[in-house]
């Protein structure tokens, strides 16, 4: 998981951008509880506006069910 941008938007949301990579297929990306829609592939860019919360994280799951998470700060 490579997060390249976390930008406060001033309306209780933040913009989170970056890329998730896997040696097989990125199956799902969840940012601060918001599931992103995309066609599964090995490298998936993301750019999403999500609500700000105290414990924000991004969770990426691959096609084998392995999950990796990273706190957003």
């Amino acid at each position: 998981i490579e997060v390249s941008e976390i930008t406060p938007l001033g309306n209780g949301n933040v913009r989170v951008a970056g890329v998730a990579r896997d040696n097989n297929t990125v199956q799902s990306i969840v940012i601060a509880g918001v599931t992103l829609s995309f066609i599964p592939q090995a490298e998936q860019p993301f750019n999403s506006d999500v609500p700000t919360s105290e414990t924000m994280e991004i969770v990426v799951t691959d096609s084998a069910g392995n999950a990796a998470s990273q706190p957003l700060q």
Side-chain angles (χ1 to χ4, degrees):
I1 305 169
E2 181 182 319
V3 176
S4 59
E5 174 188 355
I6 302 175
T7 305
L9 300 177
N11 59 358
N13 290 336
V14 293
R15 176 165 293 135
V16 181
V19 64
R21 295 181 182 91
D22 186 72
N23 57 344
N24 289 314
T25 305
V26 175
Q27 195 68 33
S28 73
I29 301 173
V30 179
I31 303 174
V34 177
T35 301
L36 306 186
S37 296
F38 61 92
I39 296 170
Q41 55 190 342
E43 184 170 310
Q44 179 59 51
F46 55 86
N47 184 338
S48 185
D49 298 350
V50 297
T52 303
S53 68
E54 300 242 346
T55 57
M56 293 182 56
E57 72 174 353
I58 180 169
V59 180
V60 175
T61 305
D62 69 10
S63 57
N66 301 311
S69 64
Q70 178 177 320
L72 299 173
Q73 301 184 12

